[in-house]
Amino acid sequence: MTLPNDDFILLSLVNTKLRDEYSSLEDLCDAEGVSQQEICTRLNALGYAYTPEYNAFKRV
């Protein structure tokens, strides 16, 4: 998977995939071949953090 340049589109894409296809962020990153660090860094800059109990990025 290629990560979108727009961070809000990235947020939407990642949360949709987490909801529909993957049980954790680690599973998504491993299966899609993307950097967990890059996703977290970009979404943290928007004020979102991964919340394992919801398996989603939530506003902090």
Side-chain angles (χ1 to χ4, degrees), residues 7-41:
D7 291 340
F8 287 103
I9 293 174
L10 175 63
L11 173 64
S12 177
L13 176 67
V14 169
N15 274 343
T16 299
K17 284 191 170 284
L18 287 169
R19 182 191 67 221
D20 295 344
E21 301 175 33
Y22 298 103
S23 61
S24 72
L25 179 59
E26 184 176 351
D27 288 345
L28 180 149
C29 291
D30 288 346
E32 299 286 345
V34 294
S35 167
Q36 184 172 340
Q37 181 63 40
E38 181 180 355
I39 291 172
C40 288
T41 299

